[in-house]
Amino acid sequence: MPFHGRTQQIAYDGMMIAFAMIVSYLESLIPVYFGAPGIKPGFANFFIVFLLSQKRYKEAVCVNLCRILLTGFLFGNLFSIAYSLAGAACSFVIMYIMFRIPWISIINISICGGVAHNIGQYVLAIVLLKGTDLRYYLPVLLAAGVACGAVNGILTKTIRPYLVRNRKE
Amino acid sequence: MEQNKKKNRLRNSILFAIICIIVIAAFLIRNFRTKDMPQIVEIIQDGTVTQSYSLTENRNIRITDAHGNYNIICITHGTVQITEADCNNQDCVRQGKISRSGQSIICLPHRLVIRIKGATQEYDAVSW
């Protein structure tokens, strides 16, 4: 990615964090009930998928971490930060590995990222809520991950060409 | 190049299909599992649990409250239903059958709640 110096890169990443944060916030305002508690589309993940698709892995980690901590402290609580971190870490690792395989499409990567995010949160929930049987909640989470991941993937695929316009890849 | 693109599309479709199959399988396994979990029917009058029964045993229960009003509760094949009541709105009868843990039938005029409780705790929505 040809940035004209470090300043431009910092500004660009700051913009990404701001976008991701505001999307997270707007999302938390919309009281849509997706069939189970705690399920939201996770549009902020779009920016992470986008950065990953540009092969800017380090920046993706930074943006993700900053977004989670900032939105967590501003709008959420410590629990929501813990859940977000667990989900984001899982989803990031999976997506990172998948981006290394050249033939996989962005939509599929995003779907697997969404599912991995939910599995990460699920595992943390089992650890935190010891003795609670959450088994029957897992399929709902998987389905939600696929649906939201698909939406994000399609978004990324559609918007990406406009975001990288005028830039040599 | 064109050939390659087609191949990639096919591979991606297959990958997507596999993901979908895994999710559907998870749903099927869950539905299969919840059936053999022991569930308890709780009858709550005026906010206190007065009686509880197993969901698997078929029986008819007649509940009478302090004013002499009655509800007839019928447990059959893992479902609970109020078949008869002498309240004026008949809402409880119209609520039909319930079978999953966490579901309930409420009869407001008689201050009666029938609730299915799973053998395990329900998850807490607050923690999400």
Side-chain angles (χ1 to χ4, degrees), chain A residues 83 103 105 108 111 135-136, chain B residues 8 12 16 30 122 127:
Chain A
Y83 279 114
W103 56 266
S105 71
N108 270 339
I111 287 173
R135 241 182 341 190
Y136 73 116
Chain B
N8 282 352
N12 278 310
F16 183 68
R30 180 197 53 177
E122 296 292 313
S127 59

Side-chain angles (χ1 to χ4, degrees), chain A residues 37-38 83 98 103-105 108 111-112 121-122 125 129 132-137 139-143 146, chain B residues 8 11-13 15-16 19-20 22-23 26-27 30 33-34 37 100-101 120-128:
Chain A
Y83 279 114
M98 290 182 81
W103 56 266
I104 300 181
S105 71
N108 270 339
I111 287 173
C112 289
Q121 292 197 327
Y122 178 78
L129 313 168
T132 316
D133 189 9
L134 292 162
R135 241 182 341 190
Y136 73 116
Y137 197 43
V140 183
L141 280 179
L142 290 183
V146 170
Chain B
N8 282 352
R11 278 162 154 180
N12 278 310
S13 308
L15 186 63
F16 183 68
I19 296 167
C20 287
I22 292 173
V23 171
F27 265 105
R30 180 197 53 177
R33 277 258 180 89
T34 44
M37 275 198 328
R100 282 176 184 269
S101 6
T120 48
Q121 244 183 304
E122 296 292 313
Y123 56 83
D124 186 357
V126 177
S127 59
W128 290 85

Side-chain angles (χ1 to χ4, degrees), chain A residues 82-144:
Chain A
Y83 279 114
S84 295
L85 277 178
C90 278
S91 130
F92 187 85
V93 169
I94 294 290
M95 290 199 289
Y96 178 72
I97 294 168
M98 290 182 81
F99 266 112
R100 284 298 167 97
I101 304 168
W103 56 266
I104 300 181
S105 71
I106 288 186
I107 297 178
N108 270 339
I109 291 172
S110 176
I111 287 173
C112 289
V115 171
H117 184 97
N118 285 353
I119 290 173
Q121 292 197 327
Y122 178 78
V123 170
L124 187 69
I126 288 175
V127 175
L128 288 181
L129 313 168
K130 255 177 265 165
T132 316
D133 189 9
L134 292 162
R135 241 182 341 190
Y136 73 116
Y137 197 43
L138 182 62
V140 183
L141 280 179
L142 290 183

Side-chain angles (χ1 to χ4, degrees), chain B residues 40-59:
Chain B
I40 294 158
V41 181
E42 279 186 340
I43 293 162
I44 302 155
Q45 285 177 284
D46 247 338
T48 50
V49 179
T50 52
Q51 292 159 68
S52 56
Y53 300 95
S54 163
L55 189 61
T56 47
E57 288 164 41
N58 296 352
R59 64 169 87 219

